[in-house]
């Protein structure tokens, strides 16, 4: 059975040969991380995303204490399309019970993930939030264990994820070229913080694919603002709130503007956005289509950039309670 797929821009991912949709499906909300999501809704959301041309799905055993992987697995299985029609990334090393980047744990982890996802292999296996482990262990123990899993065919490619940008250069400078295929950065390529851009020439030179997540800065660039636990400074929170209010006063949505800003940089292969309902998928895909057609609302963007200028590129320390 084939599902007629809408055309979505596909971008090459480093040297992997994979072509990923410019917008990627962030599956953490399917783990009921931000509120309950029924299985029937999770399955419908995955189906709608695929139908709209999204071919890249990202999850982790950490999201919803393994629930995200299970829900995504059910959604992908229900598509009943060839496995080569979609690209799946999951992670290892971070779990509900804590961090464990040992070779033994990550080797066991992929088998558990594949079972939950109902897959024979994943396309990308990331070490999840490596700043919480020992980076030297990641280099000397975790990545070699992942290379073994790659040889066994359990993952096609290897990635690393985390918040501080210097973790990527630390690891990539210490592993043989071509060992790490992809990095996943979050909260560093959006209207309020675009520091990831400084790292792109280095990553390109190493042939490493770039995925960016959280274009809405973990909720800061939304009308309702970030969650209570958001680690940003009060200044950054209030500037983002002012920017959101400004957009609203003009009848515009800051979420759309922020997403389009992140999507406009073609050096970033895919922008991951969390989705847990058909309407969210539709809204995100509409933002992509509008960007490809009419382009971005440059006037509102420059007004928002002016509001955010005093806090531009201000980040926050990595906190264990972050999703």
């Amino acid at each position: 059975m084939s599902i007629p797929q809408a055309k979505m821009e596909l971008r090459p991912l480093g040297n992997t040969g994979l072509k990923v949709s410019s917008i990627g499906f962030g599956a953490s909300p399917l783990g009921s991380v931000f509120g309950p999501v029924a299985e029937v809704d999770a399955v419908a959301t995955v189906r709608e995303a695929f139908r709209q041309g999204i071919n890249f799905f990202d999850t982790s055993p950490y999201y919803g204490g393994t629930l995200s992987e299970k829900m995504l697995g059910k959604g992908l299985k229900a598509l009943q399309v060839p496995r080569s029609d979609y690209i799946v990334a999951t992670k290892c090393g971070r779990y509900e019970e804590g961090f464990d980047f040992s070779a033994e744990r990550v080797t066991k982890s992929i088998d558990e993930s594949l079972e939950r996802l109902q897959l024979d292999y994943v396309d990308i296996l990331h070490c999840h939030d490596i700043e919480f482990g020992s980076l030297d262990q990641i280099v000397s123990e975790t990545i070699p264990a992942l290379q073994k899993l790659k040889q066994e065919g359990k993952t096609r490619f290897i990635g690393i994820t985390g918040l501080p940008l210097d973790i990527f250069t630390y690891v990539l400078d210490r592993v043989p070229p071509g060992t790490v295929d992809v990095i996943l950065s979050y909260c560093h390529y959006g209207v309020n913080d675009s520091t990831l851009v400084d790292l792109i020439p280095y990553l390109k030179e190493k042939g490493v694919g770039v995925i960016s997540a959280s274009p809405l800065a973990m909720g800061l660039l939304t009308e309702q603002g970030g969650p209570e636990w958001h680690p940003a400074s009060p200044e950054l929170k209030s500037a983002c709130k002012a920017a959101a209010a400004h957009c609203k006063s003009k009848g515009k949505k800051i979420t759309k503007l922020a997403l389009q800003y992140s999507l406009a940089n073609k050096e970033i292969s895919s922008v991951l956005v969390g989705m847990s309902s058909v309407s969210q998928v539709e809204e995100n895909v509409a933002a992509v289509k509008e960007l490809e057609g009419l382009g971005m609302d440059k006037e509102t963007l420059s007004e928002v950039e002016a509001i955010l200028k005093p806090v531009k590129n201000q980040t926050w320390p990595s906190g264990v309670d972050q999703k």
Side-chain angles (χ1 to χ4, degrees), residues 33 35 66 100 151:
V33 172
T66 75
D100 187 345
Q151 286 155 9

Side-chain angles (χ1 to χ4, degrees), residues 15 177 199-208:
N15 290 345
L199 202 59
I200 288 176
Y202 167 90
L203 294 166
K204 276 188 89 164
E205 186 204 335
K206 293 214 176 268
V208 174

